[in-house]
Amino acid sequence: MPYVLGIDVGTSATSAAVSRQTGSTWGDAEAVQLGERTATAPTVVYFAADGTVIVGDAAQRNAGGDPANAARDFPRRIGDEIPLMVGSEVCSAEALTAVLVTWVVNEVAAAEGMHPEHIVLAHPPNWGNYRRRLLHRALRDTNLDNVTLLPSPVTVAESHAAVYDVPNGGSLGVYDLGAGGLSSAVVRRSPIGTFELLNSAESVEPNGGNSFDDVVFEHVMDGLGGLDPADPDAWTTLSRLRRECAAAKEFLSVSTDVTVREVPLTRVAFEDMIRTAVQAGIEELLRTIRSAPADLDTVVLVGGSARIPLVGDLVKTEVRKRIVIAPEPELACARGAATAAKRLVPVPQPAPAPVVIADDVPPSPPRPLIEITPLDLPRPRSIMRALTGRPKAKTSGS
Ligand SMILES: Nc1ncnc2c1ncn2[C@@H]1O[C@H](COP(=O)(O)OP(=O)(O)OP(=O)(O)O)[C@@H](O)[C@H]1O
Ligand SMILES: [Mg+2]
């Protein structure tokens, strides 16, 4: 069945959603499972010794014991002058991102039985033409030439508007707290229903999930009194402990306490550790809203770190607007990207049934002669005049 595809390659997690053709329209956007047990897959690319390039959960596993041959945290580095070293390879961030996008496209195509009609890829709102061009070129180098890039707040607005009414001309605030940082933005719906970015700001750590992981990690290391410096597998031990700390942080969103290697941590203590960073992010959101040329009444919270109860509570207290926390906040960009893709391509129409000319059809009888009196036809009207009753508006320069 034909479909369009939305993709979000985040600092830590990559997600995708599809909208399949249902009759003569596109259906609702549905998230695709990219991870082995989760909807999102880790944004990790691993170069195996035999030359194979491994992506997602498998790459994450390999990277644990061999970090030098793994690439992480690269999407936000697109446009940096300095390339990344992965093992002995020099890689650009855009090439690594294109590898990941190609993997997603192939995974989804294998599940759907065909390639997508169109792809929309979300990107950070502060990107200009230079970074977009770099990524487009890298995607074309991997034979992906049906990709449209859209700022992530625009995709968030699309996924919000698929559920809630957003009138044309109406504006939304977007607060996206992911792993690598915070994006705050204001978008406005245009008269034709699309969204445009009016204002945005980006702040990286200490304002995202990675830095919240660091906070838990430091707390656990203090409790353990450090790691054994003689451990021959110190790196593996360390990266495993970091993953346990990230899992503990996520667990604290649904539980009031957690224990990592016998070191206890309560939600209250964790919230005290991150409160200042979260508050700084909210101030940035307020500045972004204040300096946007629009009035808005709703702010949408997305990004995996929006699951932390303190985040929603503080935003609700400090931002005097209607606050909507997206139900699966880490998937909102991908869902909205798929929703935006629906506008960009018409639903494929079935090919008309072929006309069968049978050999044994007898020839038509000769037509009788008819005398035709020519009519005095009126002057043809332009399509615009026919539709609106007014002459076609002139475009500038015509
Ligand atoms: N239940 C949860 N509680 C707290 N944090 C969570 C929870 N679930 C996911 N996270 C965190 O959300 C982050 C991932 O969210 P998301 O996928 O939105 O980020 P990203 O898109 O990779 O990053 P960025 O948008 O900054 O580039 C991780 O830091 C993860 O630990
Ligand atoms: Mg993100």
Side-chain angles (χ1 to χ4, degrees):
M1 190 185 297
Y3 65 97
V4 288
L5 175 61
I7 303 177
D8 175 32
V9 181
T11 303
S12 77
T14 294
S15 50
V18 295
S19 162
R20 301 183 185 88
Q21 181 176 357
T22 55
S24 58
T25 57
W26 295 114
D28 291 342
E30 288 175 32
V32 175
Q33 180 167 342
L34 294 179
E36 289 169 1
R37 282 184 294 276
T38 50
T40 62
T43 302
V44 182
V45 177
Y46 177 76
F47 292 0
D50 64 0
T52 322
V53 178
I54 301 172
V55 174
D57 281 304
Q60 171 110 296
R61 264 195 306 280
N62 282 285
D66 181 18
N69 283 303
R72 302 170 177 277
D73 291 348
F74 50 84
R76 281 176 189 262
R77 291 193 51 186
I78 291 179
D80 276 10
E81 301 257 312
I82 303 160
L84 292 94
M85 280 298 288
V86 188
S88 56
E89 306 264 345
V90 179
C91 299
S92 68
E94 59 273 19
L96 290 164
T97 305
V99 165
L100 204 71
V101 172
T102 305
W103 173 77
V104 173
V105 172
N106 290 340
E107 288 285 298
V108 176
E112 300 288 325
M114 61 172 70
H115 276 271
E117 297 292 313
H118 198 74
I119 300 165
V120 168
L121 180 59
H123 66 75
N126 62 339
W127 280 19
N129 282 339
Y130 173 64
R131 286 169 169 173
R132 277 199 293 266
R133 255 201 311 273
L134 286 178
L135 183 54
H136 251 141
R137 204 176 301 150
L139 292 167
R140 271 200 304 275
D141 288 347
T142 61
N143 290 326
L144 285 175
D145 49 15
N146 60 342
V147 185
T148 300
L149 303 180
L150 284 182
S152 54
V154 167
T155 67
V156 171
E158 289 279 5
S159 77
H160 177 80
V163 180
Y164 297 89
D165 184 39
V166 182
N168 292 352
S171 299
L172 287 174
V174 175
Y175 172 99
D176 181 352
L177 192 58
L182 167 73
S183 296
S184 47
V186 176
V187 293
R188 180 167 56 201
R189 194 158 214 185
S190 76
I192 56 164
T194 54
F195 287 93
E196 58 173 336
L197 189 63
L198 292 184
N199 197 16
S200 72
E202 285 272 293
S203 67
V204 287
E205 295 174 18
N207 241 334
N210 285 349
S211 55
F212 302 157
D213 295 349
D214 290 344
V215 162
V216 177
F217 182 78
E218 274 168 32
H219 170 81
V220 172
M221 285 293 260
D222 280 351
L224 292 174
L227 290 178
D228 178 4
D231 180 358
D233 294 321
W235 184 266
T236 312
T237 311
L238 214 63
S239 66
R240 201 172 293 150
L241 182 59
R242 271 202 70 89
R243 280 210 297 281
E244 285 171 39
C245 291
K249 171 201 73 177
E250 292 177 11
F251 187 61
L252 281 179
S253 295
V254 289
S255 170
T256 52
D257 53 82
V258 70
T259 302
V260 184
R261 303 204 186 178
E262 296 181 15
V263 179
L265 178 61
T266 63
R267 184 194 286 175
V268 172
F270 169 65
E271 288 182 344
D272 281 345
M273 294 171 192
I274 64 166
R275 189 179 300 271
T276 307
V278 175
Q279 242 146 4
I282 294 170
E283 272 151 35
E284 185 178 282
L285 169 71
L286 289 169
R287 277 195 298 275
T288 310
I289 293 173
R290 272 197 297 269
S291 54
D295 272 343
L296 54 92
D297 61 8
T298 302
V299 174
V300 189
L301 264 56
V302 298
S305 301
R307 287 184 182 268
I308 298 173
L310 176 77
V311 171
D313 292 348
L314 281 183
V315 175
K316 278 178 193 154
T317 312
E318 313 229 341
V319 181
R320 303 247 154 244
K321 308 278 177 198
R322 184 170 74 120
I323 305 298
V324 178
I325 304 177
E328 291 169 302
E330 61 285 345
L331 303 179
C333 286
R335 278 219 179 89
T339 307
K342 296 196 271 185
R343 294 180 196 282
L344 300 175
V345 275
V347 173
Q349 297 302 315
V355 179
V356 179
I357 302 171
D359 291 340
D360 56 352
V361 176
S364 326
R367 289 184 176 180
L369 278 174
I370 305 169
E371 206 172 302
I372 297 172
T373 312
L375 288 173
D376 191 11
L377 291 171
R379 226 159 41 87
R381 301 197 306 164
S382 79
I383 291 180
M384 274 302 280
R385 214 183 298 149
L387 288 174
T388 63
R390 290 194 305 274
K392 185 180 169 201
K394 279 194 177 162
T395 50
S396 61
S398 64

